[in-house]
């Protein structure tokens, strides 16, 4: 049985803190929302969760949100089952992780995310595709850099 560090080396490159901007657009490209982010990606030792992520969001009007995502690793896949989401992530090449998840409070909705990390591990580009009843209705465009 491999560990997450051995089985998901691209994901391990995301370890640390990331800051960036989320821009939500409709299918015509109109901006629906924009906010700042600070994400922490951790691989705790001696924890029931080999992966732990904390997402912090901040809007220009002062609104703030924070969410925690503990993950379980099995068979080169990271699984999330929290109060908020149900999903899984896997690697597809040497720079890309795919995440598929749904919100437990809205089973008709699902998201498909592509996460790409730069060769120097300092920049990420992420795209969320939002589906409702299997039809795309918006996208979230995320640009991040490693917090130094």
């Amino acid at each position: 049985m491999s560990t997450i560090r051995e089985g998901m080396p691209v994901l391990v490159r995301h370890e640390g803190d990331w800051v960036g901007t989320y821009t939500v657009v409709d299918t015509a490209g109109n901006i629906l929302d924009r906010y700042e982010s600070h994400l922490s990606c951790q691989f705790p030792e001696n924890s029931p969760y080999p992966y732990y992520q904390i997402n912090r969001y901040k809007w220009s009007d002062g609104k703030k949100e924070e969410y925690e995502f503990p993950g379980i690793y099995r068979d080169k896949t990271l699984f999330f089952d929290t109060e908020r989401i149900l999903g899984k992530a896997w690697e597809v090449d040497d720079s890309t992780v795919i995440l598929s998840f749904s919100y437990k409070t809205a089973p008709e909705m699902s998201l498909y995310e592509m996460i790409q990390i730069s060769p120097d591990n300092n920049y990420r580009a992420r795209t969320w595709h939002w589906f409702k009843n299997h039809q795309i209705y918006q996208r979230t465009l995320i640009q991040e850099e490693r917090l130094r």
Side-chain angles (χ1 to χ4, degrees), residues 87-143:
K88 64 181 180 177
W90 62 96
E91 298 179 359
V92 296
D93 61 26
D94 63 358
S95 64
T96 310
V97 175
I98 299 294
L99 172 64
S100 174
F101 69 96
S102 60
Y103 289 103
K104 290 183 174 179
T105 58
E108 75 283 0
M109 287 176 34
S110 63
L111 282 88
Y112 194 81
E113 177 180 5
M114 181 179 69
I115 309 162
Q116 296 212 256
I117 192 165
S118 64
D120 66 3
N121 300 326
N122 290 319
Y123 302 94
R124 298 194 308 187
R126 300 168 44 217
T127 308
W128 293 6
H129 295 269
W130 294 74
F131 295 89
K132 189 180 291 180
N133 298 316
H134 309 289
Q135 297 292 313
I136 192 160
Y137 69 97
Q138 66 184 25
R139 293 175 178 88
T140 302
L141 312 171
I142 306 158
Q143 186 170 335

Side-chain angles (χ1 to χ4, degrees), residues 55 57 65-69 81-86 101-106 128 130:
N55 293 14
Y57 305 117
E65 293 180 1
E66 183 173 314
Y67 302 101
E68 297 180 14
F69 301 100
D81 187 356
T82 70
E83 290 180 11
R84 185 173 166 81
I85 68 164
L86 182 63
F101 69 96
S102 60
Y103 289 103
K104 290 183 174 179
T105 58
W128 293 6
W130 294 74

Side-chain angles (χ1 to χ4, degrees), residues 1 9 11-12 16 27 35 38-39 44 58 60-61 75 86-87 107 111 113 115 121 129 143:
M1 181 175 180
L11 182 67
V12 171
T27 56
Y35 50 96
H38 175 181
L39 278 63
K58 181 173 58 174
S60 60
D61 65 2
D75 300 326
L86 182 63
L111 282 88
E113 177 180 5
I115 309 162
N121 300 326
H129 295 269
Q143 186 170 335

